[in-house]
Amino acid sequence: MANQWRGVITEYFDRLDIAPGTKIITLGEGGTPLVHAPALAKLVGAEEVWLKVEGMNPTGSFKDRGMTMAVTKAVAHGAKAVICASTGNTSASAAAYAAAAGIKSVVLIPEGKITLGKLAQAIAHKASILQVKGNFDDCLVLARDLSENYAVHLVNSVNPDRIEGQKTASFEVVESLGFAPDFHVMPVGNAGNYSAYFKGYLEEFNEGIIKAVPKLWGFQAEGSAPFVAGHPIENPETIATAIRIGNPASWDLALSAQECSQGEFGAVSDAEILSMHRFLSNEVGVFVEPSSATGAAGLFKNSKLGKVPAGAKIVVTVTGHGLKDVGWALKDENGNEVSPTSCSKDAAEVAELLGLEKN
Ligand SMILES: *Cc1c(COP(=O)(O)O)cnc(C)c1O
């Protein structure tokens, strides 16, 4: 297995809180591409923009970086089952890593608010799936309660092992670029990932590898923006289901990360999210789920407010793969369904249909 990326625990063993000799549960997560995005840089008036494409992880989202740590540690502690509350991607990841570890997984999902792609993943990896009559925040309260009183290990991002694994994305960004970006932008739901990026960058700073921690910009959906409101939101609403969270689990960690990095939180509308979702696939060539476009949508919004310096070097994390939530891609700007045009097998007819010029 020469030259194969070995997953974040093995690649960063010395920089993670893990005991030597621990049996590692991995699916080869991490090592995701940092994609140069000149079209986005032009749109926002920055010198350079790169996308950290986390949809390239084994289950299609960044959650795998934290899940390898959380499940590895759960198994090391003798756990026979893991549990999580999820808007979809955490459950897909927990179910896959539990399958790899040969233990059970239980996932609690909010009724009717998870995409089919993500549900299919949890089913495929044989999770026990329960739809809770409530929203994500209710699911998390229930998952915490069960893990405290029954033999099942909690793998939500309130588990510090998740944050520990997810911090490796910052290491990869710095390794790929050879420096830290001026700004790092991402979507925010529970803010576990925001906190994890800060932890990673701070460690790089403390070890003298980078000169400054990037300013962290975290964006939420307008109908689900507790960090902007300054208090939890009772009934969060947005089409960006992965960040439809009213009571973020990592509230205090995220606020201190924002303060220490001189970063900020902002909110964008669903229309702005969907428009950026389209831009990323049409103009950059990267297909993400709508929630994942929230960071880039926020960057664009801030650029219109004059907050992006011309010389800025920016990394934007796109958190999950487009194939997880295909419904939005199948509609045009006006919300009409798009489907392929039927045609004959005749080359001349097809060429005419396509408007191709004869050579
Ligand atoms: C989980 C998730 C988020 C939000 O991450 P938090 O750590 O909860 O802030 C954003 N986008 C996608 C695709 C996710 O799966």
Side-chain angles (χ1 to χ4, degrees), residues 157 163 191 194-195 198 250-258:
S157 60
I163 310 273
Y194 185 91
S195 308
F198 178 70
S250 295
W251 188 275
D252 296 338
L253 272 181
L255 284 188
S256 81
Q258 180 249 323

Side-chain angles (χ1 to χ4, degrees), residues 29-30 32 52-67 86-94 97 118 121 162 166 193 242 289 292 317-322 324:
E29 62 295 316
T32 56
K52 183 67 171 157
V53 183
E54 289 290 275
M56 295 302 283
N57 278 295
T59 76
S61 86
F62 74 83
K63 299 295 198 298
D64 296 340
R65 294 180 184 274
M67 207 54 75
S86 180
T87 59
N89 283 331
T90 300
S91 58
S93 187
Y97 283 80
K118 298 173 190 178
Q121 288 182 286
R162 284 274 311 279
Q166 284 170 212
N193 210 30
E289 61 172 290
S292 301
T317 294
V318 285
T319 43
H321 203 288
K324 284 172 171 281

Side-chain angles (χ1 to χ4, degrees), residues 14 69 71 104 108 191 250-251 264 273 275 324:
D14 297 342
M69 275 295 283
V71 173
K104 285 197 164 70
L108 306 178
S250 295
W251 188 275
E264 63 173 64
I273 292 171
S275 154
K324 284 172 171 281

Side-chain angles (χ1 to χ4, degrees), residues 32-351:
T32 56
L34 190 66
V35 174
H36 193 214
L40 185 56
K42 187 163 171 237
L43 181 75
V44 304
E47 186 170 325
E48 305 277 9
V49 178
W50 294 268
L51 299 181
K52 183 67 171 157
V53 183
E54 289 290 275
M56 295 302 283
N57 278 295
T59 76
S61 86
F62 74 83
K63 299 295 198 298
D64 296 340
R65 294 180 184 274
M67 207 54 75
T68 182
M69 275 295 283
V71 173
T72 292
K73 290 237 182 166
V75 168
H77 291 126
K80 297 279 181 281
V82 292
I83 189 169
C84 65
S86 180
T87 59
N89 283 331
T90 300
S91 58
S93 187
Y97 283 80
I103 62 173
K104 285 197 164 70
S105 61
V106 179
V107 309
L108 306 178
I109 57 177
E111 206 165 36
K113 296 291 180 187
I114 134 165
T115 73
L116 267 186
K118 298 173 190 178
L119 184 61
Q121 288 182 286
I123 294 172
H125 296 302
K126 62 182 176 35
S128 301
I129 305 167
L130 296 174
Q131 280 203 48
V132 177
K133 292 189 179 66
N135 60 26
F136 171 84
D137 304 303
D138 301 317
C139 292
L140 184 56
V141 170
L142 180 57
R144 283 178 118 151
D145 187 345
L146 289 168
S147 70
E148 278 160 21
N149 296 297
Y150 299 87
V152 63
H153 191 94
L154 186 68
V155 294
N156 276 106
S157 60
V158 288
N159 176 339
D161 300 328
R162 284 274 311 279
I163 310 273
E164 181 72 0
Q166 284 170 212
K167 78 180 182 188
T168 57
S170 299
F171 299 167
E172 290 176 20
V173 167
V174 171
E175 264 168 42
S176 303
L177 294 178
F179 54 85
D182 304 309
F183 298 87
H184 192 125
V185 190
M186 73 197 82
V188 167
N190 273 306
N193 210 30
Y194 185 91
S195 308
Y197 271 101
F198 178 70
K199 187 166 200 273
Y201 281 124
L202 187 63
E203 290 180 11
E204 297 267 299
F205 176 74
N206 288 338
E207 288 181 28
I209 302 169
I210 59 176
K211 293 197 197 81
V213 170
K215 293 183 173 63
L216 297 184
W217 283 356
F219 288 95
Q220 306 200 283
E222 268 173 15
S224 178
F227 285 113
V228 177
H231 55 77
I233 304 291
E234 186 133 5
N235 292 306
E237 272 311 334
T238 170
I239 57 96
T241 52
I243 53 170
R244 190 172 172 274
I245 286 159
N247 191 8
S250 295
W251 188 275
D252 296 338
L253 272 181
L255 284 188
S256 81
Q258 180 249 323
E259 209 170 290
C260 298
S261 79
Q262 297 174 287
E264 63 173 64
F265 294 114
V268 286
S269 67
D270 283 0
E272 288 171 308
I273 292 171
L274 288 173
S275 154
M276 181 53 70
H277 173 247
R278 186 178 302 282
F279 181 87
L280 294 178
S281 37
N282 285 5
E283 312 296 332
V284 181
V286 174
F287 185 31
V288 301
E289 61 172 290
S291 309
S292 301
T294 306
L299 175 62
F300 182 39
K301 183 171 183 178
N302 272 5
S303 76
K304 289 185 281 188
L305 297 171
K307 290 186 181 178
V308 176
K313 295 190 167 71
I314 303 172
V315 171
V316 181
T317 294
V318 285
T319 43
H321 203 288
L323 291 174
K324 284 172 171 281
D325 190 3
V326 296
W328 299 102
L330 294 170
K331 294 193 180 102
D332 66 15
E333 294 89 345
N334 306 316
N336 301 316
E337 294 285 332
V338 179
S339 57
T341 307
S342 296
C343 71
S344 72
K345 290 181 274 187
D346 182 87
E349 264 177 51
V350 174

